[in-house]
Amino acid sequence: MARILITSAIPYINGIKHLGNLVGSQLPADLFARYSRARGHEVMFICATDEHGTPAELAAAKAGKPVDQYCAEMHEAQAEMARGFRLSFDHFGRSSSQRNHKLTQHFAGVLADNGLIREVAESQVYSIDDGRFLPDRYIEGTCPNCGYTSARGDQCDNCTKQLDPTDLINPHSTVSGSTNLEVRETKHLYLMQRSLREKLEAWIESKHDWPILTTSIAKKWLNDGDGLQDRGITRDLHWGIPVKRGDQPWPGMEGKVFYVWFDAPIEYIAGTAEWADANGLGDEAWERWWRTDKGAADVTYYQFMGKDNVPFHTLSFPATILGSGEPWKMVDYLKSFNYLNYDGGQFSTSRGRGVFMDQALSILPSDYWRWWLLSHAPESSDAEFTWENFQASVNKDLADVLGNLVSRVTKFAKSKFGDAIPAGGDFGAQETALIADLGARIRTYETLMAEMEVRKAAAELRGIWVVGNEYLQSAAPWSVVKTDPEKAQAMIRLALNLIRIYAILSAPFIPDAAATMMTALNCTDWTWPSDVPQAIRALPSGHDFAVPENLFRKITDEERADWQVKFAGVRT
């Protein structure tokens, strides 16, 4: 039994996440967690809400709520969505927790003790009417290069020219619209990442098995002239983790908070400590996952995230860990994903474009979405969600292949042999061939799942479903029963046991349907079918079963057309 630590990139607090967010981190992480547990491994699966930074303050202001109340409400909303999609977190924490406060302040203090923090004086735009310094992206004005009137303080989206806020003509605050702005000096703490370059490079180079997407992004940022820079880790904001050195005030940093991208990854560790607290356990319970001097040396750590998060997780967060000089567990395998686009455009939380998690669950159960998203995961390139493809995949894969097999077998068995699995004779040549084929395919499926080849694993699982249908089509027990009832009984005994095997194999992808299949079989034995000849005989003759409700219904053309119209615009 291995010990496996899994973290998903933590979703930002400003609203319900869309399906592109889901498939880029949390959902494939859940797939791997479920599979790892099914194989008997000890798993710790941690996620949280990312609650700090200017966008959280602005979203709260827009909602007319105090930022702490807004974050608490949105955390519960996101936790509810996670439950709806059956994400099997061991703990879904909050980056605003006291555990994260203490741990972030600890890391900052240790980095300072190691000479890796320096104080930098900066000139930033201050909004007098708003009473705050403004991040570059919250200042807009006219681009001096092309005349675009909605250029941001960091870049013009029209001509792509990199800008400073002071370059803008007629700048104004996007928070209030005020033009009463001035440049003021402020001081911030910087993490001296460049001094850690050799350590970071050696660490990245040691990861020979990482996906090409991950390593290419990491090396690009490491080696580009603008990539690995000393990075500001504090901000002039009201909401966040107060800047302290350990538990002591940090002279000159009064009223400042740590930068959200400094504290957010630390929440992976803090979230595990929150799990221990929630379960009444001591520090040793979470330290055995994170401290290599306290048991974490034998842990394998996997991270899941979209490609936009890779630089922070291959450079900035590792710089924090390496720079501390303390025995913290570092990631062993970082699985990154490209983008999922939506019907000819992009998913966008800020623009409200696409299908969001709550909307998806309002029209279909989670298994429908889990299957499509995972079987179309954007691994080697960006992928695109279209309603036509979604309808075709649900109808063909889930309804026609898996659902139809379960329905045909259980209904026929009940009508011909009653409510118990029939006896019948020994298996024949067809059954022996099927068992051998299943054994080979399950080994392939296991390999793909272990390597986190999500799309290929889904295709292999579908292939496993297909061979069962092909066997039934060829064996035709509904015809054989007329001439050789005992042989037909043996076929149905095998087919009912096949449903159990399918339930176990499919559970990481479609957990609700898998549970329905096992309930219908009156079975609680989820033992992985490593030995197919044994697994195909797990449910004996005389064992009661029932006909389940239809596992998956087909999506009609009318529904698909209606949803295309309903979700063509933006979320209001």
Side-chain angles (χ1 to χ4, degrees):
M1 182 178 71
R3 295 178 60 221
I4 295 176
L5 173 63
I6 301 170
T7 61
S8 161
I10 63 178
Y12 201 63
I13 198 68
N14 62 338
I16 302 300
K17 302 296 104 176
H18 55 64
L19 297 183
N21 296 133
L22 180 64
V23 74
S25 56
Q26 293 176 315
L27 188 54
D30 179 70
L31 176 77
F32 188 62
R34 287 179 175 275
Y35 172 74
S36 299
R37 293 189 194 105
R39 299 309 309 276
H41 302 310
E42 183 184 5
V43 173
M44 179 59 65
F45 180 22
I46 296 294
C47 193
T49 39
D50 183 2
E51 301 186 9
H52 296 137
T54 304
E57 291 188 354
L58 296 182
K62 186 176 181 180
K65 297 177 179 179
V67 65
D68 56 343
Q69 178 187 336
Y70 172 82
C71 288
E73 292 175 359
M74 288 310 305
H75 169 79
E76 181 49 41
Q78 291 201 23
E80 181 62 26
M81 290 302 100
R83 289 188 287 269
F85 273 91
R86 308 298 186 255
L87 303 179
S88 59
F89 303 128
D90 287 287
H91 187 73
F92 186 63
R94 302 182 62 186
S95 69
S96 61
S97 71
Q98 284 304 303
R99 278 288 194 176
N100 202 37
H101 276 233
K102 295 297 184 184
L103 202 52
T104 297
Q105 291 161 347
H106 165 79
F107 273 110
V110 171
L111 290 166
D113 292 341
N114 293 343
L116 291 169
I117 299 290
R118 64 186 175 95
E119 195 172 289
V120 177
E122 299 179 342
S123 293
Q124 290 187 0
V125 174
Y126 186 86
S127 172
I128 296 171
D129 292 338
D130 293 323
R132 64 187 295 166
F133 284 96
L134 295 176
D136 293 350
R137 61 181 294 193
Y138 291 101
I139 308 163
E140 286 188 0
T142 300
C143 175
N145 185 55
C146 70
Y148 181 58
T149 58
S150 296
R152 295 198 313 264
D154 56 353
Q155 180 179 334
C156 175
D157 288 340
N158 186 54
C159 69
T160 71
K161 183 176 177 61
Q162 299 292 308
L163 299 170
D164 287 321
T166 52
D167 295 332
L168 295 174
I169 300 168
N170 299 323
H172 65 270
S173 163
T174 61
V175 179
S176 63
S178 173
T179 59
N180 194 12
L181 310 177
E182 66 181 29
V183 176
R184 293 185 181 180
E185 185 176 276
T186 183
K187 292 182 179 180
H188 285 292
L189 300 179
Y190 273 62
L191 173 58
M192 298 166 64
Q193 295 185 148
R194 285 181 294 185
S195 65
L196 294 164
R197 189 185 191 285
E198 290 185 4
K199 288 185 177 181
L200 287 167
E201 185 174 30
W203 177 69
I204 291 170
E205 289 293 341
S206 71
K207 305 302 179 183
H208 305 296
D209 59 343
W210 278 9
I212 294 174
L213 178 64
T214 300
T215 53
S216 62
I217 294 172
K219 290 179 179 180
K220 180 178 185 297
W221 276 74
L222 183 68
N223 297 317
D224 277 6
D226 294 330
L228 186 65
Q229 300 291 323
D230 293 349
R231 188 172 185 84
I233 62 168
T234 59
R235 290 293 188 269
D236 289 296
L237 295 173
H238 305 296
W239 171 246
I241 297 176
V243 178
K244 292 184 178 181
R245 190 166 181 162
D247 59 356
Q248 298 300 312
W250 203 306
M253 293 293 125
E254 296 82 5
K256 299 180 189 293
V257 300
F258 285 107
Y259 177 41
V260 60
W261 263 112
F262 181 69
D263 81 72
I266 296 171
E267 170 59 19
Y268 298 139
I269 307 174
T272 315
E274 294 169 44
W275 160 82
D277 294 341
N279 288 279
L281 303 172
D283 285 347
E284 67 281 355
W286 67 265
E287 288 175 341
R288 67 187 289 267
W289 291 100
W290 284 103
R291 297 276 303 197
T292 57
D293 60 337
K294 298 185 178 181
D298 64 347
V299 169
T300 306
Y301 177 19
Y302 299 86
Q303 290 178 346
F304 291 78
M305 68 196 62
K307 60 184 176 183
D308 54 329
N309 284 335
V310 170
F312 300 101
H313 287 79
T314 55
L315 298 177
S316 297
F317 185 41
T320 298
I321 300 296
L322 288 169
S324 76
E326 296 178 331
W328 297 102
K329 178 66 185 176
M330 295 182 69
V331 65
D332 294 295
Y333 191 89
L334 197 157
K335 175 71 173 180
S336 57
F337 292 84
N338 288 284
Y339 295 139
L340 177 68
N341 294 318
Y342 176 69
D343 226 3
Q346 290 185 323
F347 278 95
S348 172
T349 298
S350 61
R351 294 180 176 87
R353 188 176 192 278
V355 183
F356 290 74
M357 291 170 69
D358 56 343
Q359 296 170 329
L361 293 177
S362 73
I363 59 177
L364 285 171
S366 61
D367 277 354
Y368 293 71
W369 300 104
R370 287 178 63 104
W371 174 253
W372 189 91
L373 290 167
L374 291 168
S375 62
H376 293 78
E379 290 175 292
S380 58
S381 63
D382 289 352
E384 182 169 12
F385 176 91
T386 68
W387 288 103
E388 290 84 0
N389 189 300
F390 178 64
Q391 178 191 24
S393 182
V394 166
N395 291 356
K396 292 177 181 178
D397 298 349
L398 298 181
D400 285 346
V401 180
L402 180 61
N404 186 47
L405 180 143
V406 173
S407 178
R408 277 200 301 172
V409 169
T410 55
K411 287 180 179 177
F412 176 76
K414 181 177 176 63
S415 67
K416 295 297 182 181
F417 309 119
D419 294 330
I421 294 176
D426 293 332
F427 295 146
Q430 279 185 300
E431 290 74 34
T432 301
L434 172 64
I435 291 168
D437 190 13
L438 277 175
R441 286 178 176 273
I442 290 173
R443 298 296 87 75
T444 300
Y445 177 63
E446 291 168 351
T447 299
L448 293 170
M449 289 289 274
E451 294 175 349
M452 285 161 286
E453 293 283 356
V454 178
R455 290 180 74 145
K456 291 179 181 178
E460 189 62 37
L461 178 59
R462 186 188 188 280
I464 290 171
W465 298 342
V466 167
V467 296
N469 278 279
E470 290 174 342
Y471 163 75
L472 287 170
Q473 203 65 26
S474 173
W478 28 86
S479 298
V480 174
V481 72
K482 301 172 185 176
T483 57
D484 192 341
E486 188 175 5
K487 185 177 181 181
Q489 287 180 23
M491 292 175 177
I492 290 301
R493 189 175 80 244
L494 177 143
L496 288 167
N497 274 279
L498 189 62
I499 292 173
R500 174 183 170 272
I501 292 174
Y502 284 179
I504 295 168
L505 296 177
S506 305
F509 283 90
I510 45 175
D512 285 352
T516 298
M517 293 157 71
M518 291 293 270
T519 299
L521 293 172
N522 189 29
C523 180
T524 58
D525 179 7
W526 290 83
T527 303
W528 189 262
S530 300
D531 184 335
V532 177
Q534 183 181 59
I536 209 72
R537 296 173 171 83
L539 301 178
S541 60
H543 180 90
D544 291 340
F545 73 94
V547 177
E549 292 185 17
N550 193 21
L551 277 186
F552 298 100
R553 69 171 185 83
K554 289 192 173 184
I555 297 171
T556 67
D557 290 343
E558 291 75 18
E559 284 177 315
R560 187 250 304 154
D562 178 59
W563 295 336
Q564 279 180 301
V565 172
K566 183 177 180 181
F567 299 106
V570 297
R571 182 188 182 101
T572 56

mmCIF file of all heavy atoms in Angstrom, residues 191-201 204 218-231 311 314-316 319:
data_model
loop_
_atom_site.group_PDB
_atom_site.id
_atom_site.type_symbol
_atom_site.label_atom_id
_atom_site.label_comp_id
_atom_site.label_asym_id
_atom_site.label_seq_id
_atom_site.Cartn_x
_atom_site.Cartn_y
_atom_site.Cartn_z
ATOM 1 N N LEU A 191 10.661 38.218 -2.315
ATOM 2 C CA LEU A 191 11.341 36.935 -2.176
ATOM 3 C C LEU A 191 12.412 36.865 -3.256
ATOM 4 O O LEU A 191 12.113 37.007 -4.447
ATOM 5 C CB LEU A 191 10.351 35.778 -2.323
ATOM 6 C CG LEU A 191 10.933 34.363 -2.362
ATOM 7 C CD1 LEU A 191 11.745 34.066 -1.113
ATOM 8 C CD2 LEU A 191 9.824 33.332 -2.539
ATOM 9 N N MET A 192 13.639 36.642 -2.850
ATOM 10 C CA MET A 192 14.774 36.674 -3.781
ATOM 11 C C MET A 192 14.878 35.339 -4.525
ATOM 12 O O MET A 192 15.767 34.519 -4.289
ATOM 13 C CB MET A 192 16.044 37.014 -3.020
ATOM 14 C CG MET A 192 15.975 38.401 -2.377
ATOM 15 S SD MET A 192 17.250 38.711 -1.134
ATOM 16 C CE MET A 192 18.733 38.634 -2.140
ATOM 17 N N GLN A 193 13.957 35.144 -5.459
ATOM 18 C CA GLN A 193 13.875 33.885 -6.193
ATOM 19 C C GLN A 193 15.104 33.639 -7.066
ATOM 20 O O GLN A 193 15.511 32.492 -7.258
ATOM 21 C CB GLN A 193 12.619 33.858 -7.067
ATOM 22 C CG GLN A 193 11.315 33.879 -6.286
ATOM 23 C CD GLN A 193 10.090 33.735 -7.163
ATOM 24 O OE1 GLN A 193 9.092 33.163 -6.745
ATOM 25 N NE2 GLN A 193 10.140 34.256 -8.374
ATOM 26 N N ARG A 194 15.680 34.718 -7.599
ATOM 27 C CA ARG A 194 16.815 34.526 -8.510
ATOM 28 C C ARG A 194 18.004 33.866 -7.820
ATOM 29 O O ARG A 194 18.773 33.141 -8.457
ATOM 30 C CB ARG A 194 17.225 35.872 -9.113
ATOM 31 C CG ARG A 194 16.265 36.363 -10.199
ATOM 32 C CD ARG A 194 16.712 37.679 -10.790
ATOM 33 N NE ARG A 194 16.654 38.763 -9.805
ATOM 34 C CZ ARG A 194 16.912 40.034 -10.100
ATOM 35 N NH1 ARG A 194 17.248 40.379 -11.329
ATOM 36 N NH2 ARG A 194 16.830 40.962 -9.163
ATOM 37 N N SER A 195 18.144 34.090 -6.531
ATOM 38 C CA SER A 195 19.259 33.465 -5.810
ATOM 39 C C SER A 195 19.038 31.966 -5.623
ATOM 40 O O SER A 195 19.957 31.239 -5.233
ATOM 41 C CB SER A 195 19.459 34.144 -4.454
ATOM 42 O OG SER A 195 18.332 33.939 -3.622
ATOM 43 N N LEU A 196 17.817 31.503 -5.891
ATOM 44 C CA LEU A 196 17.493 30.076 -5.774
ATOM 45 C C LEU A 196 17.463 29.384 -7.133
ATOM 46 O O LEU A 196 17.032 28.238 -7.236
ATOM 47 C CB LEU A 196 16.140 29.909 -5.077
ATOM 48 C CG LEU A 196 16.091 30.351 -3.610
ATOM 49 C CD1 LEU A 196 14.647 30.513 -3.157
ATOM 50 C CD2 LEU A 196 16.821 29.362 -2.721
ATOM 51 N N ARG A 197 17.936 30.081 -8.159
ATOM 52 C CA ARG A 197 17.799 29.572 -9.520
ATOM 53 C C ARG A 197 18.428 28.187 -9.695
ATOM 54 O O ARG A 197 17.818 27.282 -10.281
ATOM 55 C CB ARG A 197 18.420 30.545 -10.519
ATOM 56 C CG ARG A 197 18.127 30.175 -11.967
ATOM 57 C CD ARG A 197 18.851 31.063 -12.964
ATOM 58 N NE ARG A 197 18.350 30.845 -14.310
ATOM 59 C CZ ARG A 197 18.645 29.773 -15.042
ATOM 60 N NH1 ARG A 197 19.436 28.836 -14.557
ATOM 61 N NH2 ARG A 197 18.136 29.639 -16.262
ATOM 62 N N GLU A 198 19.651 27.995 -9.202
ATOM 63 C CA GLU A 198 20.335 26.717 -9.393
ATOM 64 C C GLU A 198 19.589 25.581 -8.710
ATOM 65 O O GLU A 198 19.472 24.479 -9.268
ATOM 66 C CB GLU A 198 21.769 26.810 -8.871
ATOM 67 C CG GLU A 198 22.673 27.692 -9.719
ATOM 68 C CD GLU A 198 24.117 27.652 -9.246
ATOM 69 O OE1 GLU A 198 24.413 26.879 -8.298
ATOM 70 O OE2 GLU A 198 24.946 28.387 -9.816
ATOM 71 N N LYS A 199 19.090 25.835 -7.509
ATOM 72 C CA LYS A 199 18.323 24.794 -6.811
ATOM 73 C C LYS A 199 17.032 24.466 -7.560
ATOM 74 O O LYS A 199 16.664 23.295 -7.688
ATOM 75 C CB LYS A 199 18.008 25.253 -5.386
ATOM 76 C CG LYS A 199 19.202 25.263 -4.447
ATOM 77 C CD LYS A 199 18.770 25.617 -3.024
ATOM 78 C CE LYS A 199 19.953 25.560 -2.070
ATOM 79 N NZ LYS A 199 19.552 25.880 -0.675
ATOM 80 N N LEU A 200 16.344 25.500 -8.035
ATOM 81 C CA LEU A 200 15.106 25.282 -8.776
ATOM 82 C C LEU A 200 15.375 24.527 -10.079
ATOM 83 O O LEU A 200 14.640 23.600 -10.436
ATOM 84 C CB LEU A 200 14.426 26.617 -9.081
ATOM 85 C CG LEU A 200 13.765 27.318 -7.896
ATOM 86 C CD1 LEU A 200 13.418 28.759 -8.259
ATOM 87 C CD2 LEU A 200 12.520 26.565 -7.440
ATOM 88 N N GLU A 201 16.433 24.914 -10.773
ATOM 89 C CA GLU A 201 16.767 24.254 -12.037
ATOM 90 C C GLU A 201 17.092 22.785 -11.816
ATOM 91 O O GLU A 201 16.621 21.906 -12.558
ATOM 92 C CB GLU A 201 17.939 24.962 -12.702
ATOM 93 C CG GLU A 201 18.277 24.401 -14.076
ATOM 94 C CD GLU A 201 19.354 25.204 -14.779
ATOM 95 O OE1 GLU A 201 20.213 25.792 -14.080
ATOM 96 O OE2 GLU A 201 19.333 25.257 -16.023
ATOM 97 N N ILE A 204 13.809 20.902 -11.069
ATOM 98 C CA ILE A 204 12.983 20.705 -12.271
ATOM 99 C C ILE A 204 13.614 19.668 -13.195
ATOM 100 O O ILE A 204 12.927 18.806 -13.751
ATOM 101 C CB ILE A 204 12.781 22.052 -13.000
ATOM 102 C CG1 ILE A 204 11.892 22.982 -12.161
ATOM 103 C CG2 ILE A 204 12.152 21.836 -14.378
ATOM 104 C CD1 ILE A 204 11.832 24.408 -12.678
ATOM 105 N N ALA A 218 7.621 25.260 -17.247
ATOM 106 C CA ALA A 218 8.554 25.516 -16.143
ATOM 107 C C ALA A 218 9.902 26.003 -16.665
ATOM 108 O O ALA A 218 10.460 26.992 -16.158
ATOM 109 C CB ALA A 218 8.734 24.244 -15.317
ATOM 110 N N LYS A 219 10.437 25.333 -17.685
ATOM 111 C CA LYS A 219 11.755 25.707 -18.209
ATOM 112 C C LYS A 219 11.712 27.039 -18.940
ATOM 113 O O LYS A 219 12.689 27.806 -18.904
ATOM 114 C CB LYS A 219 12.278 24.603 -19.130
ATOM 115 C CG LYS A 219 12.649 23.330 -18.367
ATOM 116 C CD LYS A 219 13.145 22.238 -19.280
ATOM 117 C CE LYS A 219 13.521 20.989 -18.483
ATOM 118 N NZ LYS A 219 14.007 19.907 -19.370
ATOM 119 N N LYS A 220 10.602 27.337 -19.589
ATOM 120 C CA LYS A 220 10.472 28.621 -20.270
ATOM 121 C C LYS A 220 10.546 29.758 -19.256
ATOM 122 O O LYS A 220 11.270 30.739 -19.453
ATOM 123 C CB LYS A 220 9.155 28.686 -21.046
ATOM 124 C CG LYS A 220 8.918 30.004 -21.791
ATOM 125 C CD LYS A 220 7.615 29.955 -22.572
ATOM 126 C CE LYS A 220 7.441 31.220 -23.416
ATOM 127 N NZ LYS A 220 7.340 32.450 -22.632
ATOM 128 N N TRP A 221 9.801 29.624 -18.179
ATOM 129 C CA TRP A 221 9.802 30.667 -17.155
ATOM 130 C C TRP A 221 11.143 30.730 -16.418
ATOM 131 O O TRP A 221 11.594 31.798 -16.010
ATOM 132 C CB TRP A 221 8.663 30.429 -16.162
ATOM 133 C CG TRP A 221 7.362 30.980 -16.647
ATOM 134 C CD1 TRP A 221 6.566 30.464 -17.628
ATOM 135 C CD2 TRP A 221 6.714 32.163 -16.186
ATOM 136 N NE1 TRP A 221 5.461 31.246 -17.792
ATOM 137 C CE2 TRP A 221 5.520 32.298 -16.924
ATOM 138 C CE3 TRP A 221 7.020 33.108 -15.214
ATOM 139 C CZ2 TRP A 221 4.637 33.341 -16.715
ATOM 140 C CZ3 TRP A 221 6.136 34.153 -14.999
ATOM 141 C CH2 TRP A 221 4.961 34.269 -15.753
ATOM 142 N N LEU A 222 11.780 29.594 -16.280
ATOM 143 C CA LEU A 222 13.071 29.564 -15.582
ATOM 144 C C LEU A 222 14.154 30.247 -16.403
ATOM 145 O O LEU A 222 15.018 30.943 -15.856
ATOM 146 C CB LEU A 222 13.468 28.113 -15.295
ATOM 147 C CG LEU A 222 14.762 27.897 -14.507
ATOM 148 C CD1 LEU A 222 14.600 28.389 -13.077
ATOM 149 C CD2 LEU A 222 15.145 26.419 -14.521
ATOM 150 N N ASN A 223 14.106 30.059 -17.721
ATOM 151 C CA ASN A 223 15.202 30.506 -18.569
ATOM 152 C C ASN A 223 14.960 31.814 -19.304
ATOM 153 O O ASN A 223 15.916 32.447 -19.755
ATOM 154 C CB ASN A 223 15.529 29.408 -19.594
ATOM 155 C CG ASN A 223 16.011 28.133 -18.923
ATOM 156 O OD1 ASN A 223 16.808 28.181 -18.002
ATOM 157 N ND2 ASN A 223 15.501 26.989 -19.363
ATOM 158 N N ASP A 224 13.706 32.225 -19.466
ATOM 159 C CA ASP A 224 13.435 33.495 -20.133
ATOM 160 C C ASP A 224 13.946 34.658 -19.289
ATOM 161 O O ASP A 224 13.956 34.599 -18.059
ATOM 162 C CB ASP A 224 11.931 33.674 -20.368
ATOM 163 C CG ASP A 224 11.469 32.949 -21.632
ATOM 164 O OD1 ASP A 224 12.309 32.241 -22.225
ATOM 165 O OD2 ASP A 224 10.304 33.088 -22.018
ATOM 166 N N GLY A 225 14.339 35.730 -19.974
ATOM 167 C CA GLY A 225 14.865 36.887 -19.263
ATOM 168 C C GLY A 225 13.903 37.462 -18.253
ATOM 169 O O GLY A 225 14.307 37.941 -17.187
ATOM 170 N N ASP A 226 12.592 37.429 -18.557
ATOM 171 C CA ASP A 226 11.594 37.993 -17.645
ATOM 172 C C ASP A 226 10.942 36.928 -16.771
ATOM 173 O O ASP A 226 9.960 37.201 -16.076
ATOM 174 C CB ASP A 226 10.500 38.722 -18.449
ATOM 175 C CG ASP A 226 11.046 39.944 -19.178
ATOM 176 O OD1 ASP A 226 12.010 40.532 -18.659
ATOM 177 O OD2 ASP A 226 10.521 40.277 -20.245
ATOM 178 N N GLY A 227 11.457 35.703 -16.809
ATOM 179 C CA GLY A 227 10.813 34.617 -16.093
ATOM 180 C C GLY A 227 11.062 34.639 -14.600
ATOM 181 O O GLY A 227 10.250 35.137 -13.822
ATOM 182 N N LEU A 228 12.197 34.101 -14.189
ATOM 183 C CA LEU A 228 12.489 33.984 -12.754
ATOM 184 C C LEU A 228 13.016 35.317 -12.230
ATOM 185 O O LEU A 228 14.171 35.675 -12.459
ATOM 186 C CB LEU A 228 13.502 32.874 -12.509
ATOM 187 C CG LEU A 228 13.779 32.570 -11.032
ATOM 188 C CD1 LEU A 228 12.527 32.014 -10.360
ATOM 189 C CD2 LEU A 228 14.938 31.596 -10.888
ATOM 190 N N GLN A 229 12.166 36.038 -11.556
ATOM 191 C CA GLN A 229 12.527 37.330 -10.980
ATOM 192 C C GLN A 229 12.261 37.310 -9.480
ATOM 193 O O GLN A 229 11.444 36.532 -8.990
ATOM 194 C CB GLN A 229 11.694 38.456 -11.624
ATOM 195 C CG GLN A 229 11.865 38.588 -13.131
ATOM 196 C CD GLN A 229 13.252 39.094 -13.506
ATOM 197 O OE1 GLN A 229 13.825 39.929 -12.819
ATOM 198 N NE2 GLN A 229 13.794 38.575 -14.607
ATOM 199 N N ASP A 230 12.976 38.178 -8.764
ATOM 200 C CA ASP A 230 12.606 38.385 -7.369
ATOM 201 C C ASP A 230 11.167 38.874 -7.357
ATOM 202 O O ASP A 230 10.783 39.716 -8.177
ATOM 203 C CB ASP A 230 13.529 39.410 -6.719
ATOM 204 C CG ASP A 230 14.958 38.885 -6.590
ATOM 205 O OD1 ASP A 230 15.166 37.673 -6.806
ATOM 206 O OD2 ASP A 230 15.852 39.687 -6.285
ATOM 207 N N ARG A 231 10.368 38.356 -6.445
ATOM 208 C CA ARG A 231 8.919 38.568 -6.532
ATOM 209 C C ARG A 231 8.378 39.203 -5.254
ATOM 210 O O ARG A 231 8.683 38.763 -4.150
ATOM 211 C CB ARG A 231 8.226 37.222 -6.783
ATOM 212 C CG ARG A 231 6.749 37.330 -7.086
ATOM 213 C CD ARG A 231 6.199 35.987 -7.510
ATOM 214 N NE ARG A 231 4.809 36.094 -7.927
ATOM 215 C CZ ARG A 231 4.421 36.454 -9.137
ATOM 216 N NH1 ARG A 231 5.308 36.767 -10.045
ATOM 217 N NH2 ARG A 231 3.136 36.523 -9.441
ATOM 218 N N PRO A 311 3.629 28.040 -13.639
ATOM 219 C CA PRO A 311 4.796 28.820 -13.190
ATOM 220 C C PRO A 311 4.846 29.021 -11.683
ATOM 221 O O PRO A 311 5.922 28.956 -11.079
ATOM 222 C CB PRO A 311 4.624 30.167 -13.918
ATOM 223 C CG PRO A 311 3.802 29.847 -15.120
ATOM 224 C CD PRO A 311 2.863 28.764 -14.674
ATOM 225 N N THR A 314 5.881 25.597 -10.088
ATOM 226 C CA THR A 314 7.195 25.043 -10.410
ATOM 227 C C THR A 314 8.327 26.010 -10.052
ATOM 228 O O THR A 314 9.494 25.617 -10.053
ATOM 229 C CB THR A 314 7.307 24.695 -11.904
ATOM 230 O OG1 THR A 314 6.995 25.857 -12.688
ATOM 231 C CG2 THR A 314 6.355 23.564 -12.260
ATOM 232 N N LEU A 315 7.981 27.260 -9.760
ATOM 233 C CA LEU A 315 8.993 28.242 -9.403
ATOM 234 C C LEU A 315 8.706 28.892 -8.047
ATOM 235 O O LEU A 315 9.469 28.731 -7.098
ATOM 236 C CB LEU A 315 9.110 29.320 -10.488
ATOM 237 C CG LEU A 315 9.552 28.831 -11.875
ATOM 238 C CD1 LEU A 315 9.555 29.978 -12.871
ATOM 239 C CD2 LEU A 315 10.914 28.177 -11.822
ATOM 240 N N SER A 316 7.601 29.629 -7.941
ATOM 241 C CA SER A 316 7.369 30.446 -6.745
ATOM 242 C C SER A 316 7.156 29.620 -5.481
ATOM 243 O O SER A 316 7.816 29.849 -4.459
ATOM 244 C CB SER A 316 6.172 31.374 -6.980
ATOM 245 O OG SER A 316 6.442 32.278 -8.025
ATOM 246 N N ALA A 319 10.219 27.772 -4.573
ATOM 247 C CA ALA A 319 11.215 28.697 -4.019
ATOM 248 C C ALA A 319 10.966 28.920 -2.529
ATOM 249 O O ALA A 319 11.909 28.998 -1.729
ATOM 250 C CB ALA A 319 11.171 30.027 -4.769
#
